[in-house]
Amino acid sequence: MASLSPFVKHALYKALYYVLTWFVAVSFAWFIPRLLPYNAVEITVASMERSLTAGGSMISPQEYKEMVSYLEGLFGANEPLWLQYVNFWKNLFHGNLGPSIAFFPATVNQVIARSLPYDLILIIPSTVVAWVIGNIIGAQVGYRKTGTLTDRASMVAFVALNNIPFFVLGLILIMVFAVELHWVPATGYTYSAIPRLSWTYIKIFLKHWIMPFLSVTLVSLGGWVLGMRQLIINEKNSDYMNYGEALGLRGSILARYAMKNAFLPQITGLALSLSTVVGGSYVLEFIFGYPGMGYIMGVAATENDYLTVAGVFVVIATVVLLANYIVDILYSVLDPRVRAAEVGA
Amino acid sequence: MSRRLPRPRRAAGPRGVWGPLLGSLVREKFFMGGLIIILAVALMGLLAPYVAPSKNFLATVGPPNQPPSLKYPLGTTGFGQDVLSQLLFGTRNTLFVATVAALIASLIGLALGIIGGFLGGAVDAVFNFLTNTFLVIPTFTMLLLVATIVKHPSLQLEAIIIGAFGWPWGARAYRSFALSMRNRDYVTVARLNGMSGLNIALTEVLPQMLPYIAIMLVMTLNGSLMADVGLDAIGLGPGNTITLGLMLNYAWGWGALVYNWWWWWLPPVIVIILVATSLTAVAMGMDRVFNPRLRGT
């Protein structure tokens, strides 16, 4: 390994670590439904029966038996557990997440492929916008004199904002902007509009997108402001800042030094926040009827469709771990101390 | 060589430390303000069976969708149920689930963090890997997966499920604390003095840890509350009872938002925001008192 640079070594080690984490996480998603005393086929049959009888059609015992054996074959429920596990991984590497119960006959792949773009277009912009604005406000608040009345009042406001679940703020926003002011529609999506690249569609989409976007952005903003404020305060009290001040450095230069150092933990925070943002937006999407994975999860969960839920879990875990890995590597590029530690190790 | 060092004298007895600490806590506005609000809400929940206008909170007591009036202080739901009664019992049930879940999560986190941090080696490596795995995988997604299969759990079961996934942040904090404690001089001195590991843990380390445990407990409580409200709001909560999240689920599901029956969903929203904000304020207040470095900032 002597030929490899410390950076490559570090990147490889981290990659191995994340692959192992991914393996354990995905295995959990497979094991948990099977550890619990519930039968996939029974659940599916019951749920299909419900929707069939609700539709007015009767089902004969013969058809029922056929359906059960068909589903057993589909889920591979007759095979020994270890073989099911091996098959699961085989399928996963072929990019196949299996059948969906709630959206039958659509596969989990198709369901996710339809909803994932809506998530990306909601979560990435809102997270990035909240992160950038939050850090700017936090740095400003932290660098000013703290303990003043405005500082305290803004603290309370940001603490409150940061602790509202996304969907609760969403409810309040719906009341104000949709029900009272009629500026935007009350639900996140209209199924009458066919997705295509036209101005009318984009306009309809944006109208439905803006409220979920605002909910996620505003709530996330509070956390970044509070975090950055504390980090800047810590930097302000450190030796190098006092030294710089004693040397008579200009305030703007000092602020830049403080900002650079305080910035680093916020980068790690960005990656870690992804998993909470994704999880937190489920209920929001469900309430707004926004057709992302959260909405899918809500429907699937109420229909006992754990295959879809597990499939979505695998996709989200993969995306979040990948993002964490990228940020980890980015971090070691940005922080000379981490680089130094790698050379030492 | 056979001379033993004198037993270390404690600089200050328990009272000498805890007294001023408590005094600082009481003077901390964030802490006291949050605590008072939480206690008030908790009292509201505790007294629900005695003060609620309608003891059977799921029963129809009047016409549907009535705005607040003298007869129905917070109006009625779309099913003619009394909103105030649902709010009181819902607060009671939600706080119950959140508290039990937070206790379970804290115990798991404490056990994994302390054992790993103090033992080190392979045990620590395994525990730490598990903690980091649960830290980065989307916990709420995992929670949904379990709740999907365990349809409409009882309040107790829901608390256990939430608690089983809420421990990684605590485990990480406790572990790093245990790691830093392990090599402190006073722990080494105690060990050289022949104190047993358990004795050191209980008399030297635990008192140092209590503040951290308190802060983590409050933050875990907040996390459990969010998880509980989220699960119930999406419709995966317990059946046949009421929680704050279930109130939102019903209100939203039966069009309270669109028809602007605000009295159905706004009260639970206010309680949720109040409790969550107060919990964070309490944690921040404790942090300022227990971490002197933060004071004066």
Side-chain angles (χ1 to χ4, degrees):
Chain A
M1 294 289 269
S3 57
L4 292 175
S5 75
F7 175 74
V8 175
K9 246 192 200 160
H10 174 75
L12 281 177
Y13 168 78
K14 278 283 173 193
L16 197 70
Y17 190 88
Y18 275 106
V19 167
L20 202 59
T21 306
W22 182 74
F23 179 78
V24 172
V26 171
S27 294
F28 265 121
W30 185 86
F31 270 114
I32 283 175
R34 283 155 185 89
L35 277 179
L36 297 165
Y38 296 87
N39 185 329
V41 176
E42 264 171 37
I43 291 173
T44 316
V45 170
S47 129
M48 291 182 102
E49 226 184 326
R50 262 202 315 277
S51 50
L52 279 177
T53 43
S57 51
M58 284 296 288
I59 184 164
S60 73
Q62 184 59 36
E63 284 171 326
Y64 181 80
K65 256 192 190 160
E66 263 174 31
M67 195 158 86
V68 171
S69 67
Y70 170 70
L71 285 172
E72 273 174 350
L74 195 61
F75 296 144
N78 287 330
E79 287 155 354
L81 214 57
W82 67 267
L83 193 62
Q84 290 185 38
Y85 184 60
V86 171
N87 283 338
F88 164 74
W89 277 104
K90 255 195 213 154
N91 285 332
L92 193 60
F93 278 114
H94 286 107
N96 179 7
L97 291 167
S100 157
I101 301 174
F103 303 95
F104 195 84
T107 62
V108 176
N109 284 43
Q110 291 167 331
V111 171
I112 291 175
R114 271 201 301 254
S115 54
L116 187 61
Y118 288 101
D119 277 297
L120 297 180
I121 210 165
L122 172 67
I123 287 169
I124 293 175
S126 54
T127 308
V128 171
V129 168
W131 191 75
V132 171
I133 298 180
N135 278 322
I136 293 173
I137 297 179
Q140 296 280 343
V141 175
Y143 205 75
R144 290 223 191 98
K145 192 174 167 357
T146 50
T148 58
L149 196 67
T150 27
D151 179 51
R152 277 172 189 276
S154 67
M155 280 269 278
V156 174
F158 284 121
V159 169
L161 199 59
N162 186 36
N163 280 288
I164 305 175
F166 294 147
F167 78 95
V168 169
L169 184 67
L171 290 173
I172 297 171
L173 290 181
I174 290 178
M175 181 176 82
V176 175
F177 292 108
V179 178
E180 295 290 338
L181 297 172
H182 295 290
W183 285 0
V184 285
T187 56
Y189 193 67
T190 165
Y191 289 93
S192 59
I194 301 149
R196 60 165 173 260
L197 265 177
S198 70
W199 277 117
T200 17
Y201 178 73
I202 291 174
K203 246 169 44 196
I204 291 174
F205 172 77
L206 282 180
K207 253 187 183 174
H208 290 89
W209 168 86
I210 185 77
M211 304 271 282
F213 169 79
L214 271 182
S215 307
V216 177
T217 308
L218 287 175
V219 172
S220 316
L221 190 74
W224 297 122
V225 171
L226 293 173
M228 193 59 177
R229 177 185 174 276
Q230 196 55 56
L231 286 167
I232 285 280
I233 288 171
N234 290 347
E235 292 299 328
K236 226 165 57 176
N237 298 334
S238 65
D239 291 341
Y240 77 90
M241 288 293 282
N242 290 334
Y243 181 62
E245 229 177 309
L247 283 181
L249 286 181
R250 258 185 297 134
S252 60
I253 295 177
L254 280 174
R256 216 169 61 212
Y257 280 144
M259 210 95 86
K260 251 186 159 174
N261 283 304
F263 206 49
L264 285 165
Q266 294 293 79
I267 296 177
T268 325
L270 182 63
L272 273 181
S273 82
L274 249 184
S275 65
T276 48
V277 171
V278 167
S281 65
Y282 288 158
V283 194
L284 178 80
E285 289 184 7
F286 194 58
I287 286 202
F288 274 97
Y290 184 85
M293 302 232 260
Y295 183 72
I296 298 298
M297 288 289 254
V299 174
T302 42
E303 296 275 329
N304 278 322
D305 180 3
Y306 72 77
L307 290 172
T308 302
V309 179
V312 172
F313 175 86
V314 169
V315 171
I316 289 176
T318 310
V319 171
V320 168
L321 285 174
L322 210 61
N324 270 279
Y325 177 66
I326 293 170
V327 168
D328 254 10
I329 298 300
L330 206 67
Y331 197 82
S332 65
V333 174
L334 289 176
D335 190 348
R337 281 167 300 185
V338 177
R339 247 180 293 156
E342 282 158 26
V343 176
Chain B
M1 274 305 180
S2 61
R3 259 178 62 195
R4 284 184 61 172
L5 288 163
R7 255 182 137 39
R9 288 236 313 272
R10 304 178 74 98
R15 188 168 297 164
V17 177
W18 298 111
L21 212 53
L22 219 63
S24 310
L25 267 180
V26 171
R27 279 192 299 275
E28 192 64 50
K29 282 190 192 95
F30 268 47
F31 176 82
M32 281 313 278
L35 191 68
I36 288 168
I37 295 175
I38 291 168
L39 288 180
V41 174
L43 194 70
M44 205 173 97
L46 283 175
L47 292 179
Y50 311 103
V51 298
S54 154
K55 303 289 177 281
N56 185 358
F57 45 84
L58 294 178
T60 302
V61 294
N65 303 322
Q66 294 299 302
S69 62
L70 275 179
K71 199 163 172 221
Y72 311 109
L74 286 178
T76 62
T77 71
F79 306 101
Q81 300 150 324
D82 184 48
V83 173
L84 178 63
S85 305
Q86 291 208 340
L87 184 74
L88 291 170
F89 278 99
T91 303
R92 180 189 174 87
N93 289 337
T94 297
L95 288 185
F96 169 79
V97 172
T99 310
V100 174
L103 287 176
I104 292 171
S106 294
L107 279 179
I108 299 174
L110 203 55
L112 289 184
I114 300 251
I115 293 171
F118 269 114
L119 287 185
V123 179
D124 183 41
V126 171
F127 283 4
N128 192 34
F129 177 75
L130 211 63
T131 306
N132 282 335
T133 304
F134 271 87
L135 214 55
V136 285
I137 61 175
T139 319
F140 194 75
T141 319
M142 196 69 122
L143 212 54
L144 267 184
L145 183 61
V146 178
T148 303
I149 298 154
V150 187
K151 207 68 193 283
H152 298 308
S154 62
L155 289 171
Q156 288 86 342
L157 186 57
E158 192 185 27
I160 292 172
I161 294 172
I162 294 173
F165 291 100
W167 53 267
W169 291 97
R172 192 165 84 159
Y174 296 136
R175 173 177 176 268
S176 60
F177 189 82
L179 275 180
S180 81
M181 276 292 132
R182 204 164 54 150
N183 300 319
R184 291 282 170 90
D185 287 344
Y186 70 88
V187 174
T188 315
V189 168
R191 200 178 289 144
L192 289 175
N193 266 300
M195 279 171 83
S196 72
L198 188 70
N199 204 353
I200 295 174
L202 288 180
T203 60
E204 302 288 335
V205 179
L206 191 67
Q208 301 270 335
M209 263 195 100
L210 278 178
Y212 286 85
I213 296 178
I215 294 175
M216 277 316 292
L217 191 64
V218 172
M219 284 161 73
T220 313
L221 192 58
N222 202 1
S224 311
L225 178 79
M226 291 301 121
D228 176 50
V229 169
L231 275 184
D232 293 358
I234 225 170
L236 294 174
N240 239 342
T241 185
I242 197 75
T243 65
L244 297 178
L246 278 172
M247 285 183 82
L248 294 178
N249 179 260
Y250 293 139
W252 164 78
W254 296 96
L257 267 177
V258 182
Y259 298 110
N260 208 6
W261 302 322
W262 51 269
W263 55 89
W264 193 354
W265 61 269
L266 201 56
V269 159
I270 291 172
V271 173
I272 291 167
I273 294 176
L274 271 181
V275 174
T277 310
S278 307
L279 282 173
T280 310
V282 166
M284 283 172 75
M286 286 201 286
D287 209 20
R288 286 160 72 100
V289 172
F290 298 146
N291 288 336
R293 265 189 314 161
L294 295 179
R295 254 177 271 172
T297 59

